[in-house]
């Protein structure tokens, strides 16, 4: 049996460490930003400065939203096992599933699917609106939500959305996913009968898709962003703890109810 | 009961999202790098450009070392549960404990302890050497390893070490932890009777300590770096998988041995 | 705001600890088996002795299959972070997703769906065969696999399958899910053109469904079983370690290949 | 290179599945309880019926204590990622560290250390008291807590403690760890100047040590117990959810405070 495990990631010899074929000490450290390297690791290609700026803007917009379920879970785990900070971070990331962190991935996939089905790319806003209108109508007819619409707090406008679109324009990285997402923002009130904001998680999915990230890894990019935010929560939990107070609030307000079989 | 959960992290109102008191869309997105934000989240203060550069250089040096146990664990978990990428990432981070990723934290703590016990900071190399010599001798007498010394592959020189020291000098961030670490590099052969390289994980701990990161969070910084590397492994596992081959290699070479009670 | 968090699980006062409304010290400890309690926690009702026996037989059949990806991941994580055994266990469980541990859940759902669509329960083997034949044909026409069929090692017969069916008969717990699963075993060669064994994960899903476990928790039962097996792997890793050897085998057979963009 | 990975756990051939050298289908399923198998996996030997009863009584006493931080973390993770139940379970187990679940392990180690240092085993209660008194006095002089003493709710008596001791006597498994623990219960008021109850986590550590479990795996036994309890919480979260309410309670009571550098 000849074992061989191919990789483009970290390799080394006595004198060198390589990553993605680059000399880590000679070419990367001090020369490349951390967000830039993360993009490179995800896509296998070095981003341009503009791509790195847009990518990092997405990460920053998704890094933290305060006391989310994932942040609370990380803090409670830190409270229980402060000697294993990796466990607190992992517990927080494990909430990165379909419901709270999934919108970015869902939106990216949705937009890509609509674009894949389109015969050719729209040439002007009217054509984008038509494509968007048909997509939203199909979703409505199928009883499905259009991902990326609506926000519990930012009911009129999510401030990250125009900012990310602005940066994409500045860096000439405004592509078909963002164009379609904006068109959905324009046409959905007509189709759905209500006006919802384009949310920050959704616009992030559109921007990451325009940056060429593979669909399977949109969630991974969100998890990286969230990793920084969760470390912020752990840092804060060390100096200004709230987890014990959360725990006691829940525990002291527990109320026994008899078990309901089959319920 | 008045519930109040204080935080300096994410808060929001209908029009704004704040993080660390900054307007996320107005002040951070597009203006701040992701590594810069991570430093800010860990230390509660915005780094200077030089601090951000040194911090990101540390992260990049620690991001990936190829097929480490943590990378293999992440890939095997992705193989088993590809629908939950957060689980694969979490599984990889859970190896971030004492043995493989702990050197950075251990070195930072060791250096800080020696400095805390010193009556005052050495003024020249000779005085640094004296302080280092006493510390290494104490460790040896106690039968303890000096953290940050030695590397299984880079037996003579870890290429990250001189590079990180160079960047620290360039940014005028070379402080007492790095000075003590270099002094240990100079004097330990005399005390220990063998010459070991100052490794990259150790110099990272020294640099992070000089940057003012709290000791409890040195491991968290390593985990953030590793998070990017693990996402790189998951990305590669999707397009050029090895986990199934690793699994089969192990499974096919399993050999039954009778259980040994108490062994 | 009146906070109230209802639960039927653990509550206590100065003198007592209750669980599911039972006095833990007075009624459960020493009186109830651990598998019995687990069934009770999942379904909210105490199993009969026969139900507990069948349930525990399922758990035992699923507890361990040697060097699976999840067991290897747990051992590698223990190698990296031996001070946090909870992390090694968690890393192993995180592989409990769709691919390796999902068959039990998939089979339970499949059988339940077929039964839900049937106008009434078949009265004899011929009627069961008819129902099964239609279901397998529908799956085939849709290009989908029938879950619970086939095994990489037990190509002719999975020894757990007849044993679990035997126990179900002994305890008079043989119900419609097992009946349908056996019928699929009889008729699928005709429809699919090849003969596959009914595997142990699949028959476990059928038995758990006949025991009344909710579909959403079939995977949880498998995870509980696997938890015991993973602890066995960690126990063995302590006394007869293999993780470092696995790691070195992979690391030493790494081969650098240039990154392929978009691949 | 000859690869060989020894194991006493799961192996199989086309006709059989073995675990610990037993035929899983022929010898274990339907014949062995799940707690019995877990003991066997941890210790490599089959427990007697009495040992299995005491072991399962320990597991049942530790399975759940209601809304602990780990249970809340599991529920919040399920809320965020309901499609990956393995993540919710893992998040809950990750809190199984030093603070909340560590008492069992700490007590087992403490008692074993005291016994290891004793010249020979005490012959009567007076001699046990003398040994215990010296140990408690040493801990007090060193400014250390004696593990297993005190409980926030059961301030006078933890109901699990006498019950577990009773079962140990019934099964003739009352050994030196339990004897020393009871002696600590008798003598500590004199030494410490206050009377604390022997808690259930502590007595569990004593009983597991008397059962011969290795110290490194006491925490693993607690994690197995907790695994069942966490599945109970996930089951309850599905039918009678509280996690969203907990999240909203925390989020709505967040109060922004400016970051304190270095705090």
């Amino acid at each position: 049996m000849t074992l061989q495990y191919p990789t483009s990631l970290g390799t080394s010899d006595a004198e060198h460490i390589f990553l993605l074929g680059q000399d880590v000490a000679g070419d990367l450290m001090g020369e490349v930003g951390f967000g830039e390297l993360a993009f490179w690791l995800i896509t296998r290609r070095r981003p341009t400065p503009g791509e790195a700026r847009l990518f990092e803007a997405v990460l920053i917009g998704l890094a933290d939203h305060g006391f989310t379920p994932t942040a609370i879970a990380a803090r409670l785990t830190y409270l229980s096992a402060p000697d294993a900070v990796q466990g607190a971070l992992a517990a927080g990331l494990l909430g990165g599933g379909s419901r709270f962190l999934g919108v970015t991935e869902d939106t990216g996939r949705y937009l890509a699917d609509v674009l894949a089905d389109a015969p050719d790319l729209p040439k002007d806003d009217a054509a984008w609106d038509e494509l968007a209108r048909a997509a939203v109508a199909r979703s409505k007819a199928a009883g499905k939500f259009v991902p990326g619409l609506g926000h519990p707090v930012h009911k009129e406008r999510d401030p990250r959305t125009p900012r990310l679109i602005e940066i994409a324009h500045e860096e000439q990285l405004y592509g078909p996913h963002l164009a379609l997402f904006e068109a959905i923002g324009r046409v959905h009130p007509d189709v759905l009968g209500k006006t919802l904001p384009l949310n920050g998680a959704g616009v992030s999915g559109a921007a990451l898709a325009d940056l060429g990230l593979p669909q399977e890894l949109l969630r991974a990019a969100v998890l990286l962003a969230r990793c920084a935010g969760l470390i912020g929560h752990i840092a804060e939990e060390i100096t200004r703890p709230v987890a014990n107070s959360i725990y006691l609030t829940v525990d002291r307000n527990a109320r026994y109810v008899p078990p309901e079989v089959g319920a």
Side-chain angles (χ1 to χ4, degrees), chain A:
Chain A
M1 176 173 40
T2 308
L3 296 174
Q4 287 261 314
Y5 300 112
T7 184
S8 307
L9 300 173
T11 52
S12 58
D13 60 32
E15 298 292 318
H16 302 88
I17 300 174
F18 298 99
L19 182 56
L20 296 160
Q22 311 297 308
D23 183 321
V24 168
D27 297 334
L28 300 181
M29 291 169 67
E31 305 299 322
V32 168
F34 180 59
E36 191 179 350
L37 179 73
F39 184 104
W40 201 339
L41 284 162
I42 295 174
T43 63
R44 314 274 137 195
R45 68 178 182 82
R46 184 172 186 173
T48 65
E51 287 173 326
R53 181 169 174 246
L54 181 58
F55 180 66
E56 300 197 68
V58 168
L59 296 185
I60 286 164
L62 299 174
D64 184 61
H65 303 139
F67 291 122
T68 54
T70 62
I72 303 170
R75 284 175 177 255
L76 288 165
T77 305
Y78 183 81
L79 171 70
S80 300
D83 45 311
V85 73
Q86 71 273 19
L89 184 58
L93 291 174
L94 287 171
S98 53
R99 202 171 292 174
F100 276 78
L101 296 194
V103 175
T104 298
E105 181 180 1
D106 293 345
T107 307
R109 288 184 186 275
Y110 181 88
L111 299 172
D113 288 348
V114 172
L115 291 170
D117 287 348
D120 37 36
L121 281 190
K123 299 280 186 278
D124 54 26
D125 274 9
W128 280 112
D129 284 5
E130 193 179 337
L131 182 63
R133 198 183 311 269
V136 176
R138 272 198 308 276
S139 297
K140 188 190 176 190
K144 291 186 180 166
F145 287 106
V146 177
L149 287 182
H151 195 283
V153 173
H154 312 297
K155 293 184 192 298
E156 302 216 343
R157 201 190 70 140
D158 186 321
R160 294 168 296 180
T161 303
R163 181 64 182 129
L164 213 55
I165 290 168
E166 183 180 43
I167 295 169
H169 279 301
E170 287 170 8
E171 304 297 347
Q172 298 178 301
L173 292 165
Y174 185 91
H177 300 83
L178 281 168
L180 177 58
F181 194 57
E182 285 212 279
I184 289 172
R186 290 189 297 269
V187 306
H188 79 271
D190 262 11
V191 186
L192 302 180
K194 60 186 169 182
T195 302
L196 297 165
L198 296 173
N199 63 42
V203 74
S204 295
L208 293 174
D210 274 344
L211 281 166
L213 267 75
Q215 291 184 12
E216 302 90 332
L217 292 168
L218 297 187
R219 196 191 297 185
V222 182
L223 290 166
L224 177 64
R226 194 49 61 100
C227 188
L230 289 167
I231 291 173
H233 277 278
I234 294 168
E236 190 169 87
E237 184 66 23
I238 292 174
T239 56
R240 194 189 276 130
V242 300
N244 200 51
S245 165
I246 293 171
Y247 154 53
L248 292 176
T249 296
V250 178
D251 188 53
R252 287 176 183 167
N253 291 287
R255 180 174 53 91
Y256 176 72
V257 290
E260 297 171 37
V261 176

